Amino acid sequence: MTEQQDSVRVRFAPSPTGPFHIGGARTALFNWLFARHHGGKFILRIEDTDRKRYDPDSLRLLLDGLRWLGLDWDEGPEVGGPYGPYFQSERLHLYQYWANWLVEQGHAYRCYCSEERLEALRQQQLAAKQDPGYDRHCRNLTPEERARLHQETGGQFVIRFKMPLDGETTVHDLLRGDITFDNRQLQDLVLLKSDGYPTYHLANVVDDHLMAISHILRAEEWISTAPIHKHLYDAFGWEMPQIAHLPVILNPSGKGKLSKRSVAFSEGGRKIPVLVHEFIEGGYLPEAVVNFLTNIGWSFGDDREVFTVQETIERFDLSRVNPAGGAFPIEKLDWLNGVYIREMADDELARRLLPVFEKAGYPVDLERMRRVVPLIKVRIKTLNDALDMAGFFFTPSFTPPPAEEIVQKGMDAASTKAALQAAADRLAGLPDFSAKAQEEALRALAAELGLKTGQLFGALRAATTGQQVSPPLFETMEVLGREEALKRIRRAIAQL
Ligand code: GLU
């Protein structure tokens, strides 16, 4: 079979056990791109059978994160679909049915071993320097023994799979070729627990089959389960979907797997976001994050690093996925984010900045934001940078900074006061308050007062923006409007 199929159906199958990690987002993205490229279906399945590790917040973070990234799912939570339910916790009867079917067919067996026995066995094996593992005690029970244990335990058992005892298993990975495993390394693992919940292996295989999944694209960490799943498919008599294990994402240094939690790296002590909500809150654009993630492990070709998601869909295939791990170059993302911001239409950028400012407590309006955007667009890398750069535009009762920040080099309070007063008079008298008119008037004024333009403009910048660095001064004052600019200058004068 080739990668090309009439009905490509791929799934992203996260376990809701914690926040949505960027590694998971990359797995989801590659599945989504593969589905969209082949005109297939992208299915979202929630693998929520581990009740101990279930985290109620994680589903919301996951769905919000996928939506933010633009990875819409064709079947799954909220949208439903013909193969539902898409929460494994609502499919327990299916796993129970198929686990029992395997027992009936002689591929699996009931194991009555108690926790205590398994723990004692483990200790023994460790003491004897053997690899711990189940000793298959219940695999060959006589019917009488089984009946006795059933009675003794009150019918408490797990269902274990009968792994082959020798031989080899070869799994074909679409990225890595054939991978061969020694069957003697495989355990008779539990398929169904005593509480009727399935383990990952059973639920995952049953669902991939029942949901008609054609290709499994999953994280590299699952490679060791591939032979287990292969045996399960064989026992069921089902065809195993084609499978590819995606390359692992490494820390920015290239050393070690990308951390599970955001960390401050020694290089600059910067906190590296690794959770999807941290990218959202950090002011990154989803299109930049998608572009960035696409570049980890896949290459567009033509030496291009910046491309739209539409272009990626057209080109995406597995032949350009590199199975070797790829680092997480966060500075690349900052750069890319800046590129996307600069390329974005002003109006769109204004619309995206509004919620960021609102969240930070600024009373913003779209009209003013539209006028601010051209002044800051080339100066910011993230949406959050705009808060530092342009928050002063939206501060309702702006207070000027302390005198020492207004008084420029080579000046004192009295000369600054006089200069600001003269500037205010000039600005008040301008027939129009355009940046151009302001500049002409104020350059002339600086010359008249014997000041360097940097001194006069620096004092005005501090007075009107409260910052040493700001968008261009005259455009800034134009957007502030004459009344507000003069109000700010006069307040600064009063403070000197
Ligand atoms: N539930 C597994 C996870 O959390 C799915 C692995 C797979 O894709 O098979 O990653």
Side-chain angles (χ1 to χ4, degrees), residues 55-69:
D55 168 2
D57 267 350
S58 58
L59 185 66
R60 181 184 51 80
L61 289 170
L62 175 82
L63 300 186
D64 287 354
L66 288 172
R67 270 192 281 261
W68 182 74
L69 290 163

Side-chain angles (χ1 to χ4, degrees), residues 11 13-15 47 200 204 208 216-219 221-222 229:
R11 85 303 195 273
S15 301
E47 301 209 324
Y200 157 70
N204 192 266
D208 281 349
I216 298 170
L217 313 183
R218 61 182 187 175
E221 62 184 299
W222 298 102
H229 295 187

Side-chain angles (χ1 to χ4, degrees), residues 29 270 279 283-296 298 300 303-309 311-312 328-344 377 380-383 385:
L29 171 64
R270 168 164 185 203
F279 290 89
Y284 290 99
L285 299 175
E287 45 273 69
V289 173
V290 163
N291 191 151
F292 171 68
L293 289 178
T294 309
N295 276 332
I296 304 179
W298 185 78
F300 188 84
D303 279 339
R304 275 180 65 189
E305 289 187 305
V306 186
F307 32 81
T308 65
V309 72
E311 289 173 309
T312 312
F328 190 73
I330 189 75
E331 26 3 284
K332 251 302 160 40
L333 175 60
D334 292 340
W335 169 78
L336 260 178
N337 210 64
V339 170
Y340 275 88
I341 284 181
R342 287 194 294 281
E343 282 179 0
M344 190 173 275
K377 204 172 167 179
I380 57 174
K381 285 206 175 108
T382 66
L383 298 179
D385 287 348

Side-chain angles (χ1 to χ4, degrees), residues 8-12 27-33 35-36 40-44 66 71-76:
V8 162
R9 289 177 57 83
V10 290
R11 85 303 195 273
F12 177 51
T27 302
L29 171 64
F30 278 26
N31 275 282
W32 182 85
L33 287 168
R36 295 293 170 260
K41 295 274 189 278
F42 174 63
I43 291 118
L44 177 60
L66 288 172
L71 307 183
D72 55 328
W73 52 99
D74 305 302
E75 296 171 25

